[in-house]
Amino acid sequence: ASPYRAAMLHAEGLSYALDGDRDHADAVFAHTYDLATGFGALPLAALTLAERFLLATERDDWPAAESLSRRAVEVVEAERYDGYWTSALVFAAAARAAAHRGHMHAARLYVKRAARLRPLLTYALPVVSLQALLELARAYLAVVDPAGARAALEQAQGILQQRPDLGTLSAAADQLQSRLGQIVVAELGASSLTTAELRLLPLLPTHLSFPEIGDRLFISRHTVKSQVNSLYRKLGVSSRGEAVDRMAELGLHADRASTPPGAGWLSGEDVDGSGNDEPEDDQ
């Protein structure tokens, strides 16, 4: 009767999955879903459906996979869990499912939703974070965005450096890296933003100066300027105002739910970008 039982069963299911025992993993995840739903742990319920999606795709059972993905997205959207770290795998799976159906526009939209959660995916929660990043890399490749796939895989490799013994996921990362190595990767593009740049992104449409942004993110002013210059290069812009406009064009404005803690959005203020550029040394 413990409220933590569903979470423990999810961990047990992961252990089977990492060991390559798909049948046991799927059975445990099915039980996990029932318990999570019963206890009202809906973010975990949606995550568990996404776990079962991964197992279904490994069996090449796409009808089941698409049904599981659709149910997972319904849970997330009904309860507005867009900003939860557990939703990264849900959106990455939905992107891949949409791409498999040939719905590339929908796939790209789900990729963007998953990518916004990349800063929350760390070695502190290594297994699901790595699963989400690898699935996101697969989705990027499905929508023909190798730069995005490379960024996701670089983040995944960072997790593997900290947590190297993650069963089948290590081999899956190597396989994706090999596949990506056969593709000529473009250097520029919003999808190639690093995790640090993604953390910075929501702060650009605010009136915070570079030193103030550094204080919010606990990094130096020099680091902020370096990351901003890299971000400008990838977005193909030369100023903060242009970057804000470009973010709007690309749908990169995160909502409050997906803003990292302490990001400091200025409530109620509209930023048009044009009057927000201070001299470079003063920003």
Side-chain angles (χ1 to χ4, degrees):
S2 169
Y4 303 107
R5 179 162 174 74
M8 295 304 99
L9 278 175
H10 175 254
E12 182 183 358
L14 287 179
S15 71
Y16 284 121
L18 293 180
D19 204 34
D21 191 341
R22 298 170 186 166
D23 292 339
H24 275 96
D26 197 44
V28 173
F29 284 142
H31 190 191
T32 302
Y33 173 78
D34 291 339
L35 280 175
T37 303
F39 278 115
L42 298 184
L44 178 59
L47 174 63
T48 301
L49 290 171
E51 299 281 6
R52 297 192 68 198
F53 166 89
L54 297 180
L55 296 171
T57 59
E58 290 176 7
R59 298 192 305 269
D60 202 28
D61 185 355
W62 279 98
E66 291 179 2
S67 174
L68 290 162
S69 175
R70 183 172 59 253
R71 290 164 57 196
V73 170
E74 287 172 356
V75 172
V76 169
E77 293 187 336
E79 302 296 332
R80 300 178 64 86
Y81 293 134
D82 296 59
Y84 284 53
W85 71 271
T86 50
S87 298
L89 181 58
V90 172
F91 291 142
R96 193 162 165 230
H100 184 266
R101 294 193 303 272
H103 298 169
M104 304 308 284
H105 178 68
R108 293 187 182 94
L109 292 178
Y110 282 125
V111 161
K112 288 182 180 179
R113 296 173 77 177
R116 288 174 179 168
L117 299 175
R118 274 180 49 205
L120 305 181
L121 304 176
T122 73
Y123 70 87
L125 298 162
V127 178
V128 175
S129 293
L130 191 56
Q131 286 179 318
L133 289 167
L134 295 182
E135 192 64 9
L136 182 57
R138 295 185 187 102
Y140 271 125
L141 289 174
V143 299
V144 197
D145 187 346
R150 183 175 65 174
L153 280 176
E154 286 177 352
Q155 187 175 346
Q157 292 296 340
I159 292 176
L160 284 169
Q161 287 179 359
Q162 298 287 336
R163 301 286 187 267
D165 299 320
L166 294 182
T168 57
L169 293 180
S170 299
D174 290 341
Q175 184 179 33
L176 277 170
Q177 194 67 55
S178 176
R179 180 180 170 190
L180 184 62
Q182 300 172 10
I183 301 173
V184 177
V185 182
E187 291 295 330
L188 302 180
S191 59
S192 65
L193 297 176
T194 65
T195 307
E197 291 160 0
L198 285 171
R199 290 194 186 99
L200 180 65
L201 202 64
L203 298 175
L204 289 183
T206 72
H207 297 305
L208 296 176
S209 66
F210 282 3
E212 289 170 334
I213 289 174
D215 290 342
R216 294 294 180 95
L217 298 179
F218 303 101
I219 57 179
S220 70
R221 172 183 174 180
H222 174 75
T223 300
V224 171
K225 291 180 67 174
S226 176
Q227 292 175 359
V228 166
N229 287 334
S230 175
L231 192 152
Y232 287 176
R233 179 176 60 83
K234 292 177 181 179
L235 294 181
V237 299
S238 58
S239 71
R240 187 169 180 173
E242 289 178 2
V244 171
D245 291 341
R246 184 65 174 148
M247 287 164 60
E249 292 173 8
L250 297 173
L252 293 176
H253 283 297
D255 57 24
R256 293 178 187 273
S258 60
T259 303
W265 283 85
L266 300 181
S267 58
E269 295 186 3
D270 294 326
V271 179
D272 63 9
S274 59
N276 207 31
D277 292 318
E278 307 168 19
E280 182 70 16
D281 289 341
D282 295 328
Q283 283 188 324

mmCIF file of all heavy atoms in Angstrom, residues 108-143:
data_model
loop_
_atom_site.group_PDB
_atom_site.id
_atom_site.type_symbol
_atom_site.label_atom_id
_atom_site.label_comp_id
_atom_site.label_asym_id
_atom_site.label_seq_id
_atom_site.Cartn_x
_atom_site.Cartn_y
_atom_site.Cartn_z
ATOM 1 N N ARG A 108 8.240 17.313 -35.695
ATOM 2 C CA ARG A 108 9.121 18.437 -35.349
ATOM 3 C C ARG A 108 8.601 19.213 -34.139
ATOM 4 O O ARG A 108 9.381 19.689 -33.312
ATOM 5 C CB ARG A 108 9.285 19.358 -36.553
ATOM 6 C CG ARG A 108 10.054 18.724 -37.716
ATOM 7 C CD ARG A 108 10.340 19.716 -38.826
ATOM 8 N NE ARG A 108 11.031 19.079 -39.930
ATOM 9 C CZ ARG A 108 10.431 18.575 -41.009
ATOM 10 N NH1 ARG A 108 9.102 18.675 -41.123
ATOM 11 N NH2 ARG A 108 11.128 17.991 -41.957
ATOM 12 N N LEU A 109 7.288 19.342 -34.024
ATOM 13 C CA LEU A 109 6.715 20.031 -32.870
ATOM 14 C C LEU A 109 7.004 19.265 -31.578
ATOM 15 O O LEU A 109 7.360 19.859 -30.554
ATOM 16 C CB LEU A 109 5.204 20.211 -33.053
ATOM 17 C CG LEU A 109 4.763 21.184 -34.155
ATOM 18 C CD1 LEU A 109 3.240 21.218 -34.256
ATOM 19 C CD2 LEU A 109 5.302 22.591 -33.879
ATOM 20 N N TYR A 110 6.879 17.949 -31.621
ATOM 21 C CA TYR A 110 7.170 17.143 -30.433
ATOM 22 C C TYR A 110 8.671 17.174 -30.108
ATOM 23 O O TYR A 110 9.054 17.163 -28.937
ATOM 24 C CB TYR A 110 6.703 15.701 -30.638
ATOM 25 C CG TYR A 110 5.217 15.500 -30.467
ATOM 26 C CD1 TYR A 110 4.455 14.912 -31.472
ATOM 27 C CD2 TYR A 110 4.581 15.892 -29.280
ATOM 28 C CE1 TYR A 110 3.089 14.717 -31.314
ATOM 29 C CE2 TYR A 110 3.213 15.705 -29.124
ATOM 30 C CZ TYR A 110 2.468 15.113 -30.139
ATOM 31 O OH TYR A 110 1.124 14.930 -29.971
ATOM 32 N N VAL A 111 9.496 17.213 -31.146
ATOM 33 C CA VAL A 111 10.940 17.323 -30.916
ATOM 34 C C VAL A 111 11.253 18.600 -30.150
ATOM 35 O O VAL A 111 12.055 18.595 -29.202
ATOM 36 C CB VAL A 111 11.700 17.286 -32.258
ATOM 37 C CG1 VAL A 111 13.103 17.850 -32.105
ATOM 38 C CG2 VAL A 111 11.787 15.855 -32.781
ATOM 39 N N LYS A 112 10.632 19.703 -30.533
ATOM 40 C CA LYS A 112 10.866 20.975 -29.837
ATOM 41 C C LYS A 112 10.438 20.887 -28.375
ATOM 42 O O LYS A 112 11.116 21.398 -27.481
ATOM 43 C CB LYS A 112 10.100 22.106 -30.530
ATOM 44 C CG LYS A 112 10.678 22.529 -31.867
ATOM 45 C CD LYS A 112 9.867 23.684 -32.440
ATOM 46 C CE LYS A 112 10.413 24.124 -33.783
ATOM 47 N NZ LYS A 112 9.614 25.233 -34.368
ATOM 48 N N ARG A 113 9.321 20.230 -28.124
ATOM 49 C CA ARG A 113 8.824 20.123 -26.746
ATOM 50 C C ARG A 113 9.771 19.275 -25.895
ATOM 51 O O ARG A 113 10.002 19.573 -24.718
ATOM 52 C CB ARG A 113 7.409 19.550 -26.740
ATOM 53 C CG ARG A 113 6.407 20.458 -27.436
ATOM 54 C CD ARG A 113 5.045 19.827 -27.571
ATOM 55 N NE ARG A 113 4.300 19.857 -26.308
ATOM 56 C CZ ARG A 113 3.052 19.407 -26.193
ATOM 57 N NH1 ARG A 113 2.422 18.899 -27.254
ATOM 58 N NH2 ARG A 113 2.439 19.463 -25.028
ATOM 59 N N ALA A 114 10.299 18.232 -26.500
ATOM 60 C CA ALA A 114 11.262 17.399 -25.765
ATOM 61 C C ALA A 114 12.568 18.146 -25.546
ATOM 62 O O ALA A 114 13.164 18.084 -24.456
ATOM 63 C CB ALA A 114 11.522 16.104 -26.533
ATOM 64 N N ALA A 115 13.018 18.876 -26.565
ATOM 65 C CA ALA A 115 14.303 19.576 -26.476
ATOM 66 C C ALA A 115 14.297 20.635 -25.380
ATOM 67 O O ALA A 115 15.323 20.891 -24.754
ATOM 68 C CB ALA A 115 14.647 20.209 -27.823
ATOM 69 N N ARG A 116 13.151 21.261 -25.123
ATOM 70 C CA ARG A 116 13.071 22.269 -24.069
ATOM 71 C C ARG A 116 13.370 21.689 -22.689
ATOM 72 O O ARG A 116 13.747 22.415 -21.772
ATOM 73 C CB ARG A 116 11.671 22.902 -24.051
ATOM 74 C CG ARG A 116 11.395 23.831 -25.212
ATOM 75 C CD ARG A 116 9.954 24.282 -25.203
ATOM 76 N NE ARG A 116 9.676 25.194 -26.317
ATOM 77 C CZ ARG A 116 8.461 25.569 -26.686
ATOM 78 N NH1 ARG A 116 7.408 25.103 -26.026
ATOM 79 N NH2 ARG A 116 8.285 26.402 -27.699
ATOM 80 N N LEU A 117 13.202 20.385 -22.549
ATOM 81 C CA LEU A 117 13.420 19.731 -21.255
ATOM 82 C C LEU A 117 14.829 19.167 -21.119
ATOM 83 O O LEU A 117 15.161 18.602 -20.069
ATOM 84 C CB LEU A 117 12.390 18.610 -21.059
ATOM 85 C CG LEU A 117 10.930 19.075 -21.056
ATOM 86 C CD1 LEU A 117 9.988 17.876 -20.985
ATOM 87 C CD2 LEU A 117 10.666 20.016 -19.898
ATOM 88 N N ARG A 118 15.664 19.350 -22.135
ATOM 89 C CA ARG A 118 17.023 18.793 -22.073
ATOM 90 C C ARG A 118 17.827 19.263 -20.863
ATOM 91 O O ARG A 118 18.580 18.455 -20.292
ATOM 92 C CB ARG A 118 17.783 19.116 -23.365
ATOM 93 C CG ARG A 118 17.547 18.107 -24.484
ATOM 94 C CD ARG A 118 18.326 18.487 -25.732
ATOM 95 N NE ARG A 118 19.719 18.796 -25.432
ATOM 96 C CZ ARG A 118 20.486 19.586 -26.175
ATOM 97 N NH1 ARG A 118 20.003 20.143 -27.269
ATOM 98 N NH2 ARG A 118 21.739 19.813 -25.848
ATOM 99 N N PRO A 119 17.694 20.523 -20.411
ATOM 100 C CA PRO A 119 18.475 20.918 -19.233
ATOM 101 C C PRO A 119 18.138 20.125 -17.972
ATOM 102 O O PRO A 119 18.926 20.098 -17.031
ATOM 103 C CB PRO A 119 18.109 22.406 -19.063
ATOM 104 C CG PRO A 119 17.736 22.855 -20.436
ATOM 105 C CD PRO A 119 17.037 21.687 -21.046
ATOM 106 N N LEU A 120 16.968 19.492 -17.937
ATOM 107 C CA LEU A 120 16.571 18.712 -16.764
ATOM 108 C C LEU A 120 17.102 17.283 -16.802
ATOM 109 O O LEU A 120 16.960 16.547 -15.817
ATOM 110 C CB LEU A 120 15.039 18.672 -16.656
ATOM 111 C CG LEU A 120 14.317 20.023 -16.627
ATOM 112 C CD1 LEU A 120 12.813 19.811 -16.500
ATOM 113 C CD2 LEU A 120 14.834 20.891 -15.494
ATOM 114 N N LEU A 121 17.698 16.887 -17.913
ATOM 115 C CA LEU A 121 18.166 15.511 -18.087
ATOM 116 C C LEU A 121 19.645 15.437 -17.722
ATOM 117 O O LEU A 121 20.502 15.894 -18.473
ATOM 118 C CB LEU A 121 17.945 15.056 -19.535
ATOM 119 C CG LEU A 121 16.498 15.169 -20.034
ATOM 120 C CD1 LEU A 121 16.412 14.775 -21.502
ATOM 121 C CD2 LEU A 121 15.560 14.320 -19.185
ATOM 122 N N THR A 122 19.948 14.860 -16.560
ATOM 123 C CA THR A 122 21.317 14.847 -16.058
ATOM 124 C C THR A 122 21.678 13.471 -15.527
ATOM 125 O O THR A 122 20.833 12.574 -15.431
ATOM 126 C CB THR A 122 21.488 15.865 -14.912
ATOM 127 O OG1 THR A 122 20.839 15.357 -13.728
ATOM 128 C CG2 THR A 122 20.878 17.211 -15.272
ATOM 129 N N TYR A 123 22.954 13.327 -15.140
ATOM 130 C CA TYR A 123 23.425 12.057 -14.586
ATOM 131 C C TYR A 123 22.837 11.774 -13.209
ATOM 132 O O TYR A 123 22.963 10.663 -12.694
ATOM 133 C CB TYR A 123 24.954 12.021 -14.530
ATOM 134 C CG TYR A 123 25.576 12.936 -13.505
ATOM 135 C CD1 TYR A 123 25.776 12.520 -12.196
ATOM 136 C CD2 TYR A 123 25.979 14.226 -13.848
ATOM 137 C CE1 TYR A 123 26.354 13.355 -11.255
ATOM 138 C CE2 TYR A 123 26.550 15.064 -12.920
ATOM 139 C CZ TYR A 123 26.740 14.623 -11.626
ATOM 140 O OH TYR A 123 27.300 15.458 -10.703
ATOM 141 N N ALA A 124 22.167 12.772 -12.598
ATOM 142 C CA ALA A 124 21.509 12.526 -11.312
ATOM 143 C C ALA A 124 20.333 11.563 -11.477
ATOM 144 O O ALA A 124 19.974 10.844 -10.543
ATOM 145 C CB ALA A 124 21.027 13.837 -10.701
ATOM 146 N N LEU A 125 19.723 11.563 -12.660
ATOM 147 C CA LEU A 125 18.649 10.627 -13.013
ATOM 148 C C LEU A 125 19.077 9.964 -14.315
ATOM 149 O O LEU A 125 18.497 10.202 -15.373
ATOM 150 C CB LEU A 125 17.333 11.382 -13.187
ATOM 151 C CG LEU A 125 16.817 12.094 -11.934
ATOM 152 C CD1 LEU A 125 15.791 13.156 -12.298
ATOM 153 C CD2 LEU A 125 16.207 11.081 -10.975
ATOM 154 N N PRO A 126 20.098 9.119 -14.253
ATOM 155 C CA PRO A 126 20.809 8.743 -15.473
ATOM 156 C C PRO A 126 20.026 7.887 -16.460
ATOM 157 O O PRO A 126 20.120 8.102 -17.667
ATOM 158 C CB PRO A 126 22.036 7.989 -14.947
ATOM 159 C CG PRO A 126 21.612 7.456 -13.620
ATOM 160 C CD PRO A 126 20.684 8.501 -13.053
ATOM 161 N N VAL A 127 19.262 6.924 -15.976
ATOM 162 C CA VAL A 127 18.656 5.961 -16.908
ATOM 163 C C VAL A 127 17.595 6.631 -17.782
ATOM 164 O O VAL A 127 17.670 6.598 -19.013
ATOM 165 C CB VAL A 127 18.067 4.754 -16.150
ATOM 166 C CG1 VAL A 127 17.400 3.793 -17.141
ATOM 167 C CG2 VAL A 127 19.148 4.027 -15.377
ATOM 168 N N VAL A 128 16.583 7.233 -17.158
ATOM 169 C CA VAL A 128 15.516 7.855 -17.942
ATOM 170 C C VAL A 128 16.053 9.047 -18.736
ATOM 171 O O VAL A 128 15.625 9.287 -19.866
ATOM 172 C CB VAL A 128 14.348 8.273 -17.033
ATOM 173 C CG1 VAL A 128 13.289 9.022 -17.835
ATOM 174 C CG2 VAL A 128 13.727 7.044 -16.378
ATOM 175 N N SER A 129 17.011 9.788 -18.163
ATOM 176 C CA SER A 129 17.604 10.899 -18.906
ATOM 177 C C SER A 129 18.280 10.400 -20.177
ATOM 178 O O SER A 129 18.115 10.984 -21.255
ATOM 179 C CB SER A 129 18.626 11.638 -18.027
ATOM 180 O OG SER A 129 17.996 12.287 -16.955
ATOM 181 N N LEU A 130 19.020 9.307 -20.047
ATOM 182 C CA LEU A 130 19.708 8.754 -21.216
ATOM 183 C C LEU A 130 18.700 8.193 -22.213
ATOM 184 O O LEU A 130 18.846 8.383 -23.427
ATOM 185 C CB LEU A 130 20.690 7.675 -20.776
ATOM 186 C CG LEU A 130 21.682 7.187 -21.833
ATOM 187 C CD1 LEU A 130 22.492 8.346 -22.397
ATOM 188 C CD2 LEU A 130 22.617 6.135 -21.241
ATOM 189 N N GLN A 131 17.677 7.511 -21.714
ATOM 190 C CA GLN A 131 16.633 7.008 -22.613
ATOM 191 C C GLN A 131 16.021 8.155 -23.413
ATOM 192 O O GLN A 131 15.819 8.030 -24.637
ATOM 193 C CB GLN A 131 15.534 6.311 -21.811
ATOM 194 C CG GLN A 131 15.888 4.946 -21.267
ATOM 195 C CD GLN A 131 14.730 4.368 -20.467
ATOM 196 O OE1 GLN A 131 14.083 5.070 -19.690
ATOM 197 N NE2 GLN A 131 14.473 3.088 -20.658
ATOM 198 N N ALA A 132 15.702 9.234 -22.736
ATOM 199 C CA ALA A 132 15.069 10.372 -23.410
ATOM 200 C C ALA A 132 15.990 10.985 -24.451
ATOM 201 O O ALA A 132 15.557 11.327 -25.559
ATOM 202 C CB ALA A 132 14.647 11.415 -22.379
ATOM 203 N N LEU A 133 17.258 11.145 -24.124
ATOM 204 C CA LEU A 133 18.207 11.750 -25.054
ATOM 205 C C LEU A 133 18.437 10.869 -26.277
ATOM 206 O O LEU A 133 18.528 11.368 -27.408
ATOM 207 C CB LEU A 133 19.525 12.039 -24.339
ATOM 208 C CG LEU A 133 19.471 13.176 -23.322
ATOM 209 C CD1 LEU A 133 20.710 13.174 -22.439
ATOM 210 C CD2 LEU A 133 19.323 14.526 -24.025
ATOM 211 N N LEU A 134 18.528 9.571 -26.066
ATOM 212 C CA LEU A 134 18.721 8.667 -27.199
ATOM 213 C C LEU A 134 17.485 8.645 -28.097
ATOM 214 O O LEU A 134 17.595 8.631 -29.327
ATOM 215 C CB LEU A 134 19.040 7.252 -26.706
ATOM 216 C CG LEU A 134 20.360 7.090 -25.942
ATOM 217 C CD1 LEU A 134 20.579 5.632 -25.540
ATOM 218 C CD2 LEU A 134 21.544 7.592 -26.767
ATOM 219 N N GLU A 135 16.303 8.647 -27.474
ATOM 220 C CA GLU A 135 15.078 8.671 -28.274
ATOM 221 C C GLU A 135 14.939 9.999 -29.006
ATOM 222 O O GLU A 135 14.490 10.046 -30.156
ATOM 223 C CB GLU A 135 13.867 8.420 -27.381
ATOM 224 C CG GLU A 135 12.582 8.143 -28.126
ATOM 225 C CD GLU A 135 12.619 6.862 -28.958
ATOM 226 O OE1 GLU A 135 13.581 6.077 -28.831
ATOM 227 O OE2 GLU A 135 11.677 6.650 -29.742
ATOM 228 N N LEU A 136 15.375 11.080 -28.357
ATOM 229 C CA LEU A 136 15.356 12.389 -29.016
ATOM 230 C C LEU A 136 16.315 12.396 -30.200
ATOM 231 O O LEU A 136 16.000 12.947 -31.261
ATOM 232 C CB LEU A 136 15.725 13.481 -28.018
ATOM 233 C CG LEU A 136 15.718 14.925 -28.530
ATOM 234 C CD1 LEU A 136 14.358 15.296 -29.107
ATOM 235 C CD2 LEU A 136 16.095 15.891 -27.406
ATOM 236 N N ALA A 137 17.483 11.779 -30.044
ATOM 237 C CA ALA A 137 18.437 11.692 -31.155
ATOM 238 C C ALA A 137 17.827 10.910 -32.317
ATOM 239 O O ALA A 137 17.974 11.299 -33.488
ATOM 240 C CB ALA A 137 19.727 11.034 -30.687
ATOM 241 N N ARG A 138 17.132 9.820 -32.013
ATOM 242 C CA ARG A 138 16.467 9.046 -33.075
ATOM 243 C C ARG A 138 15.407 9.888 -33.767
ATOM 244 O O ARG A 138 15.250 9.831 -35.002
ATOM 245 C CB ARG A 138 15.823 7.786 -32.478
ATOM 246 C CG ARG A 138 16.800 6.774 -31.905
ATOM 247 C CD ARG A 138 16.078 5.516 -31.454
ATOM 248 N NE ARG A 138 16.980 4.622 -30.750
ATOM 249 C CZ ARG A 138 17.039 4.484 -29.426
ATOM 250 N NH1 ARG A 138 16.216 5.201 -28.659
ATOM 251 N NH2 ARG A 138 17.886 3.654 -28.864
ATOM 252 N N ALA A 139 14.665 10.664 -32.983
ATOM 253 C CA ALA A 139 13.630 11.517 -33.569
ATOM 254 C C ALA A 139 14.248 12.590 -34.457
ATOM 255 O O ALA A 139 13.741 12.880 -35.544
ATOM 256 C CB ALA A 139 12.794 12.161 -32.455
ATOM 257 N N TYR A 140 15.356 13.195 -33.999
ATOM 258 C CA TYR A 140 16.047 14.189 -34.824
ATOM 259 C C TYR A 140 16.485 13.574 -36.155
ATOM 260 O O TYR A 140 16.362 14.196 -37.216
ATOM 261 C CB TYR A 140 17.261 14.736 -34.087
ATOM 262 C CG TYR A 140 16.991 15.933 -33.211
ATOM 263 C CD1 TYR A 140 17.338 15.935 -31.869
ATOM 264 C CD2 TYR A 140 16.419 17.088 -33.740
ATOM 265 C CE1 TYR A 140 17.109 17.046 -31.056
ATOM 266 C CE2 TYR A 140 16.183 18.199 -32.939
ATOM 267 C CZ TYR A 140 16.535 18.170 -31.598
ATOM 268 O OH TYR A 140 16.303 19.272 -30.821
ATOM 269 N N LEU A 141 17.005 12.380 -36.108
ATOM 270 C CA LEU A 141 17.425 11.730 -37.345
ATOM 271 C C LEU A 141 16.221 11.440 -38.240
ATOM 272 O O LEU A 141 16.309 11.549 -39.466
ATOM 273 C CB LEU A 141 18.168 10.427 -37.027
ATOM 274 C CG LEU A 141 19.559 10.607 -36.409
ATOM 275 C CD1 LEU A 141 20.140 9.255 -36.013
ATOM 276 C CD2 LEU A 141 20.504 11.317 -37.369
ATOM 277 N N ALA A 142 15.088 11.104 -37.626
ATOM 278 C CA ALA A 142 13.883 10.807 -38.403
ATOM 279 C C ALA A 142 13.360 12.041 -39.122
ATOM 280 O O ALA A 142 12.776 11.925 -40.214
ATOM 281 C CB ALA A 142 12.798 10.231 -37.493
ATOM 282 N N VAL A 143 13.562 13.232 -38.530
ATOM 283 C CA VAL A 143 13.109 14.463 -39.188
ATOM 284 C C VAL A 143 14.251 15.134 -39.950
ATOM 285 O O VAL A 143 14.162 16.302 -40.321
ATOM 286 C CB VAL A 143 12.489 15.458 -38.174
ATOM 287 C CG1 VAL A 143 11.276 14.844 -37.510
ATOM 288 C CG2 VAL A 143 13.512 15.916 -37.133
#
